[in-house]
Amino acid sequence: MLIFNKFQALVSISLPLLCQTTYTNFSGLNFNATFGNSPAPFKIDVSPAFIDYLNLKVSLTRYVTDINVPDFSEGPTQHNVSTVHDYWLNKYDWFSVQDQINRNFSQYTTTVTTGPLSNYSYPVPLHFVHHRSPRADAVPLLFSHGWPGNFLEVSHIIHGLTNPPNASLPAFHVVAPSIPGFAFSPTPTHPGFGNRQAAHAYNSLMQQLNYTRYVVQGGDFGGIILRYIAASYPENVISALANFYIVPPNATDRERYQLGETDAEENLSIEEFDFYLNKFQGYRIIQSNRPLTLAIGMTDSPVGNAMWIYDLMQQAVDFHVWTPEEIITWTMMYQIQGPYGGFRWYLEAENEGTWVNLTWGTNNFDYIHQPIAINQFPKDIWSTEKMGRKQPNLGGMVVLQRELLLKPP
């Protein structure tokens, strides 16, 4: 009887959703939004009926029985799954989170084109955060996230960037767009929109905001977008800061490694890179090859999608314990409009040549003339120092912030 009642509830919620056509002007987004030809203020306003439906799907989660293997050796344990499931059902309040995000961020929507350097001819609707500094000498800064990230990454630094504590520190006008298909930027409805097209779209956004000269920060896919935008628009991009700048070992590096001629840092770079290729990149291969198949399951299972995201996040972020609230909120940035767009980004990266022969497209990136700074953190899947010095298509100046390799006191 309990199962039948839940099924009845599912039908009663699903039918109105299927008939709903006026809540948003983009089909299937599950949030209220308009995307005009110029920036307009935006507040997150997710359909209450969708949240009810999502909570019901959470309640129907079926657990996997663990076997006797080390924790996280094959994925999150049932304890992790049940903790997130129980918190989602009993404590998580999306509308409270939504209100908090709306209070913390000045958000906007607009529509841009990818410009004359692009072969993508369709308009690109974008959601973005835009905070201006009161300082007259502030520099525009484009903040670009990746997967499984989102625009919320900028939350802990945006005030310090726009309002530094003293005049000796630089100030910035911060622009943080959501990649199309992530959070509240609609998924492209036509293939062919990947990192390179995002670079063109982001430059169009900055021009639309009258920021003709700006700096760029990027991590994960944001670091790849950074490469494309810096190389494509040298007259606009002043400099860039990347915390995702993979420089894979080449044939000479590997030969020296086999002969024992590489030093400790080169050994670390090669071994970490190989560990990622051999043990850690399963999610990338699946999302590059069969994103739709994966999306079918994850769209239907919000807790499953949360674990898919958490499995990567908990292994790739330094000195941070993810709370159930954070895990769910990050999942919501994909679950609201559906995770297909985020998964499919990997396929577009594959098609555009970002990963060629598992070398991450190093030889396909154009030469960058501007100064580039590189952050490196202890849990990064590569060591950039020695390999970065040999990067053939990186101009300007490379500054590796080595102090970030140290653990905090």
Side-chain angles (χ1 to χ4, degrees):
M1 181 61 69
L2 177 60
I3 296 174
F4 178 73
N5 289 341
K6 285 188 174 183
F7 178 76
Q8 281 187 315
L10 179 61
V11 172
S12 66
I13 292 173
S14 299
L15 288 179
L17 283 175
L18 293 174
C19 298
Q20 191 174 30
T21 58
T22 59
Y23 195 77
T24 173
N25 63 342
F26 275 77
S27 176
L29 290 184
N30 297 310
F31 62 90
N32 192 20
T34 57
F35 297 85
N37 293 322
S38 60
F42 170 79
K43 294 287 186 182
I44 303 172
D45 180 17
V46 176
S47 163
F50 173 75
I51 297 301
D52 289 341
Y53 171 83
L54 199 64
N55 289 338
L56 179 60
K57 299 296 287 187
V58 171
S59 76
L60 297 172
T61 299
R62 180 185 177 190
Y63 296 145
V64 176
T65 302
D66 291 344
I67 63 173
N68 187 24
V69 296
D71 288 356
F72 281 99
S73 61
E74 298 181 7
T77 65
Q78 186 181 117
H79 170 72
N80 299 114
V81 180
S82 63
T83 298
V84 169
H85 166 271
D86 294 348
Y87 189 92
W88 203 328
L89 275 186
N90 301 316
K91 295 183 179 180
Y92 189 74
D93 181 356
W94 164 254
F95 295 107
S96 176
V97 172
Q98 173 178 278
D99 290 345
Q100 185 67 47
I101 296 173
N102 285 336
R103 286 193 298 269
N104 290 346
F105 291 108
S106 297
Q107 302 171 82
Y108 300 85
T109 59
T110 192
T111 302
V112 299
T113 63
T114 51
L117 299 182
S118 169
N119 59 5
Y120 189 85
S121 60
Y122 303 97
V124 182
L126 288 176
H127 158 265
F128 64 99
V129 167
H130 184 199
H131 285 207
R132 286 186 57 85
S133 171
R135 289 256 298 266
D137 62 343
V139 178
L141 184 155
L142 173 64
F143 182 96
S144 184
H145 69 83
W147 187 93
N150 55 76
F151 72 96
L152 297 177
E153 293 177 34
V154 80
S155 61
H156 296 298
I157 60 175
I158 196 165
H159 180 76
L161 291 170
T162 55
N163 295 272
N166 61 71
S168 67
L169 297 172
F172 300 91
H173 305 307
V174 177
V175 180
S178 295
I179 293 175
F182 297 58
F184 303 101
S185 288
T187 299
T189 55
H190 298 82
F193 191 96
N195 295 288
R196 188 182 294 274
Q197 308 308 326
H200 296 313
Y202 284 4
N203 184 68
S204 294
L205 172 64
M206 297 302 278
Q207 306 312 305
Q208 195 177 86
L209 296 172
N210 295 316
Y211 294 147
T212 57
R213 297 272 287 164
Y214 56 91
V215 297
V216 185
Q217 192 281 334
D220 193 73
F221 277 126
I224 296 172
I225 294 170
L226 175 153
R227 292 190 180 197
Y228 287 127
I229 197 170
S232 299
Y233 300 98
E235 70 282 6
N236 300 118
V237 176
I238 301 168
S239 62
L241 169 64
N243 58 291
F244 186 89
Y245 213 98
I246 293 178
V247 183
N250 58 29
T252 301
D253 297 325
R254 293 194 177 279
E255 181 179 359
R256 292 176 56 244
Y257 178 75
Q258 293 297 324
L259 294 173
E261 297 175 355
T262 48
D263 62 26
E265 190 160 13
E266 290 174 308
N267 291 343
L268 178 65
S269 177
I270 293 170
E271 289 163 6
E272 287 184 338
F273 188 78
D274 287 349
F275 175 81
Y276 177 81
L277 291 184
N278 296 323
K279 298 292 186 180
F280 198 69
Q281 68 161 342
Y283 74 94
R284 183 190 76 79
I285 296 172
I286 293 172
Q287 293 178 191
S288 296
N289 295 340
R290 308 299 291 174
L292 180 56
T293 305
L294 178 64
I296 292 168
M298 297 305 179
T299 301
D300 195 56
S301 176
V303 173
N305 194 32
M307 291 300 99
W308 185 258
I309 290 172
Y310 175 58
D311 187 41
L312 178 64
M313 293 194 308
Q314 62 87 24
Q315 298 185 67
V317 178
D318 300 292
F319 317 121
H320 182 75
V321 177
W322 290 90
T323 67
E325 180 96 3
E326 290 173 314
I327 295 168
I328 296 167
T329 298
W330 276 51
T331 302
M332 290 295 288
M333 295 301 104
Y334 295 91
Q335 207 70 31
I336 291 170
Q337 67 163 309
Y340 181 35
F343 295 155
R344 197 180 182 281
W345 202 257
Y346 283 78
L347 184 148
E348 290 293 351
E350 191 84 30
N351 291 344
E352 72 191 0
T354 294
W355 293 303
V356 175
N357 299 322
L358 297 181
T359 62
W360 297 80
T362 300
N363 297 323
N364 284 354
F365 289 115
D366 296 328
Y367 193 90
I368 298 173
H369 295 268
Q370 303 95 312
I372 304 290
I374 300 173
N375 279 347
Q376 184 170 311
F377 297 89
K379 278 196 174 182
D380 285 347
I381 58 173
W382 64 93
S383 179
T384 309
E385 171 89 29
K386 286 288 183 72
M387 302 304 172
R389 294 173 184 167
K390 299 180 288 185
Q391 175 75 324
N393 52 4
L394 176 63
M397 179 190 304
V398 177
V399 181
L400 179 65
Q401 298 187 353
R402 293 296 304 280
E403 68 273 13
L404 293 175
L405 291 171
L406 303 177
K407 292 184 178 181

